[in-house]
Amino acid sequence: MIIQQRLVHINTLIRRAEQQFARQPNAVTLLAVSKNQSAEKIREAFNAGQKCFGENYAQETLKKQALLSDLSIEWHFIGTIQSNKAKLIATHFDWVQSVNQFSIAEKLNHYRATFKTPLNICIEVNIDSSPTKSGVLVNDVLSLAKKIILLKNLRLRGLMIIPEKDNALNAFSQTQKLQERLIQLGIMLDTLSMGMSDDFEVAIESGSTMVRIGTAIFGERF
Ligand SMILES: *Cc1c(COP(=O)(O)O)cnc(C)c1O
């Protein structure tokens, strides 16, 4: 019940922000980040209408998927990709938002070959050029994007960022500009995965199409 109420509340805020910032109605998708949350809680959220879930750990997700196989959930991988998990990730997710090197993209493409549908991909951008963060530097995004769009089992959808807390506003608008530049150069991107619990409304102002929210839906992680 609590999860359902939190979802209603967050969805209301998202719809309000879309309106306030002159975005199309339903332009923004809520990704419920369910890492370290139980299968029961995911089921509760699904029953309340939530369809897209984000996970950070491949093996943890597989265990939960086994318990939730009766639900048609859209699974997004948003964690660090270890190359020895590329097969699990390519075959158990619909989206991978944290691609940050070509060798990983090639492996995902390889293991996705048995599927009819391509794997949706976002490039994770280190928008703050932070030495402690993963992601591709802004200047390297175009060349990586050009190589990824040639991989036929992948479908490049957009950019994902995890900005520094004190620079989020600037990071959102930089990411939006980067997306616009890439589109001008012929790279079709329809997704900007940016904005979390504390800052999703500002992210929506800057063109976010997917906000990633965990504890505000599920409560503290176990
Ligand atoms: C955990 C996580 C989130 C959600 O964080 P909360 O604090 O639980 O809302 C969003 N994006 C990424 C990439 C994460 O790893």
Side-chain angles (χ1 to χ4, degrees), residues 31-35 37 54-57 78-80 97-98 124 160-162 165 193 195-198 211-219 221:
L31 185 69
V33 177
S34 47
K35 61 167 173 249
Q37 306 285 359
E55 291 278 349
N56 295 56
Y57 311 103
I78 60 173
T80 306
Q97 297 198 11
S98 42
E124 182 179 348
M160 189 271 269
I161 62 159
I162 308 170
K165 276 265 168 286
S193 174
M196 296 168 48
S197 308
D198 298 334
V211 296
R212 308 183 307 266
I213 297 178
T215 46
I217 299 171
F218 296 107
R221 291 182 265 275

Side-chain angles (χ1 to χ4, degrees), residues 3-48:
I3 287 178
Q4 190 206 344
Q5 287 166 357
R6 287 171 173 159
L7 279 169
V8 167
H9 177 66
I10 292 165
N11 278 304
T12 303
L13 296 178
I14 292 172
R15 301 285 89 82
R16 191 183 297 166
E18 286 172 346
Q19 211 174 16
Q20 184 181 351
F21 302 118
R23 302 286 311 277
Q24 293 293 321
N26 301 312
V28 180
T29 300
L30 172 59
L31 185 69
V33 177
S34 47
K35 61 167 173 249
N36 296 335
Q37 306 285 359
S38 66
E40 291 73 46
K41 283 188 170 181
I42 295 175
R43 182 178 294 277
E44 197 179 330
F46 182 89
N47 288 337

Side-chain angles (χ1 to χ4, degrees), residues 153-188:
N153 305 313
L154 304 185
R155 183 170 166 214
L156 183 63
R157 298 295 297 271
L159 309 175
M160 189 271 269
I161 62 159
I162 308 170
E164 302 280 11
K165 276 265 168 286
D166 58 7
N167 191 41
L169 225 81
N170 183 44
F172 295 147
S173 70
Q174 292 306 312
T175 308
Q176 187 178 34
K177 286 189 194 126
L178 176 61
Q179 181 200 29
E180 281 164 6
R181 277 209 303 283
L182 291 164
I183 291 173
Q184 277 167 8
L185 294 166
I187 312 279
M188 258 318 300

Side-chain angles (χ1 to χ4, degrees), residues 109-177:
N109 182 62
H110 173 76
Y111 290 118
R112 190 69 177 187
T114 54
F115 278 62
K116 285 195 196 76
T117 51
L119 186 61
N120 296 292
I121 297 291
C122 292
I123 294 175
E124 182 179 348
V125 182
N126 184 352
I127 196 74
D128 303 303
S129 307
S130 161
T132 60
K133 291 216 163 173
S134 65
V136 185
L137 293 172
V138 169
N139 285 340
D140 298 330
V141 173
L142 176 62
S143 64
L144 177 59
K146 281 181 171 168
K147 289 194 274 183
I148 290 178
I149 57 177
L150 299 176
L151 300 175
K152 66 180 192 312
N153 305 313
L154 304 185
R155 183 170 166 214
L156 183 63
R157 298 295 297 271
L159 309 175
M160 189 271 269
I161 62 159
I162 308 170
E164 302 280 11
K165 276 265 168 286
D166 58 7
N167 191 41
L169 225 81
N170 183 44
F172 295 147
S173 70
Q174 292 306 312
T175 308
Q176 187 178 34
K177 286 189 194 126

